[in-house]
Structures are given as C-alpha cells and as structure tokens.
Amino acid sequence: LKTDPAEAEIAQTQLLDARQKGGNPHLRLGLVYNFEANEKGVKRLVEALDKTGHAEGPEELNFEGCGIDWENAKLIFGFMRLGHTPNLKRLLLYGNERLGEEKWALGALLESGKVEGLEELNLKKCGISGETAQNIFGAMQRGHTPNLKKLELDSNRGLTVGREATDGLAAALESGGLAKLERLSLWDCRFSNTPTYAEKIREAAKKANPKVFVHTSH
C-alpha cells in the first residue's frame, strides 16, 4: 500500500476494515510509509488483527518507514504476543529509527513463542543497541526463532563491540537456534566495521549453517 499522504488514513481504514471482514489469511499487510503510527492507528491495526481470530492473521507485516516509536512498538508487539499473528513469516520494520528505544517488547514477542514461524526479520536502521539487542539475541539463542532464514540488521550503529552485540549475536548463532539462517546482513553496524569482530560473526554464522551468506562492512 502506497498512497499520497492525504489519502493514507482513508486507505489504511479501508484496508483494515477489509481485513476485519475475513479477507485472505495469506495477506501481506504492507503499510509502507503510510501507517499512522499513533494511538489511533495502532488501535485500528489491533482491532483488525483481533477480529481475524487466532487461526488466521497475515503472513507479512511491513511497517517500513512508518515512524513507529517505543510506545507504539510496545503496543503492537504486546498484542502480537497474545497470539494474533500465528501465520507470520515476514516482519519488516526497516527505517523505524526510534523502535530500538523500547528495550523489551520485540525480545518478549520472540521469547513468547507466538511467532516461531518467522522466516524474515528486517530491523535495518531501527536504532537497535544495548539491552534491546541483548533481549532479541537472547530469545534467538534460546531457540525461539527456529525457522528464521533472513536477519537484516544494517545501519544499527549502536551495535558496538561488547556483550549485547558481538557476543550476544555470536552466542545466538553458535547455540543452534538459528540453524536455518541463510542471510545475515550487518552492513554499517559498528562492530562489523572492525575486521576482527566481523570475522568472529562470520565464523559463528558458518557454524549455524555452512551455506549462510554474511554481509558485513569488512
């Protein structure tokens, strides 16, 4: 869904109304640049997902560039944790630069086991750092993303050398919890700018899956 800004709210309402009425359980719900990332918009999304029931839900949620901040992340991921997106395979959050300020919500969603069918997680340029990274990678290490094939973490410059970034991601890879991973992208993350640490991640990724492609700055 891409619209003129003046039409965005109308289009969003029509799309979510259609989803509430049943729609296609294999829907790819793309709200690229148009999702109204405020209390009203989040309520509309929650209502649409709630009325689908636990047997359905979209295969893809695309929130690229929607301006989701920590408050809305907490609401959206908290609702998903209740089990309303059981068919979700792709969660695309690219360009929501304040999302990483919510330290627990995404990690808790992964930890809940309610999105274990997830195959692609795009967190490019989402302000991921520190505790947020630790919680996400911790859930992966404990085996809650067993089907993940594609993990995009580019341009999260807060991912620096240390426990939360290099060590946390390496531990997740070495645990066997990411055995299906096919692509890991870390371009322009600070720790991937350092050859020694970039190599450490590549080695850990190869242990997870010898065929994995790792994209780093070095």
Side-chain angles (χ1 to χ4, degrees):
L1 172 65
K2 289 196 177 184
T3 66
D4 180 271
E7 299 172 351
E9 184 175 350
I10 295 172
Q12 177 181 317
T13 298
Q14 290 174 339
L15 176 63
L16 298 183
D17 281 345
R19 188 70 194 112
Q20 288 177 4
K21 292 173 183 176
N24 181 353
H26 303 295
L27 178 70
R28 297 169 62 186
L29 186 54
L31 299 169
V32 182
Y33 292 107
N34 292 314
F35 178 67
E36 189 181 357
N38 56 30
E39 185 177 0
K40 180 181 177 182
V42 170
K43 281 184 176 179
R44 292 289 295 145
L45 175 64
V46 166
E47 287 170 6
L49 293 174
D50 190 22
K51 290 187 179 182
T52 64
H54 291 264
E56 297 183 7
E59 289 187 352
E60 177 178 304
L61 281 173
N62 188 339
F63 292 108
E64 180 180 340
C66 285
I68 295 173
D69 61 13
W70 70 272
E71 291 180 294
N72 291 311
K74 187 174 182 179
L75 289 170
I76 293 168
F77 298 146
F79 184 80
M80 293 170 68
R81 199 167 68 242
L82 299 177
H84 291 281
T85 53
N87 295 322
L88 192 66
K89 294 182 179 180
R90 294 172 294 277
L91 181 57
L92 312 178
L93 295 158
Y94 170 63
N96 290 285
E97 297 186 43
R98 294 189 60 199
L99 187 145
E101 294 174 13
E102 201 339 282
K103 296 179 173 60
W104 302 100
L106 181 53
L109 171 61
L110 299 178
E111 191 82 42
S112 72
K114 300 298 185 181
V115 290
E116 289 195 352
L118 199 64
E119 296 179 0
E120 179 177 352
L121 179 59
N122 187 323
L123 294 170
K124 291 182 181 180
K125 207 173 183 180
C126 282
I128 304 297
S129 63
E131 283 186 83
T132 310
Q134 189 174 3
N135 291 322
I136 292 169
F137 297 149
M140 292 177 176
Q141 182 180 355
R142 289 184 284 277
H144 294 294
T145 54
N147 294 296
L148 197 65
K149 297 179 180 179
K150 189 174 182 180
L151 177 59
E152 308 269 4
L153 291 162
D154 307 76
S155 299
N156 286 293
R157 306 212 74 212
L159 288 177
T160 55
V161 173
R163 180 182 62 179
E164 296 90 351
T166 316
D167 296 344
L169 180 55
L173 292 165
E174 292 170 351
S175 69
L178 293 170
K180 293 186 178 181
L181 196 65
E182 297 174 357
R183 178 181 172 85
L184 173 62
S185 191
L186 298 162
W187 181 263
D188 198 31
C189 295
R190 286 186 182 176
F191 69 77
S192 83
N193 292 335
T194 307
T196 301
Y197 290 97
E199 184 58 32
K200 178 177 181 178
I201 294 299
R202 277 196 291 270
E203 289 178 2
K206 293 296 182 183
K207 290 180 181 178
N209 181 355
K211 296 181 180 180
V212 69
F213 173 78
V214 182
H215 185 211
T216 66
S217 302
H218 280 276

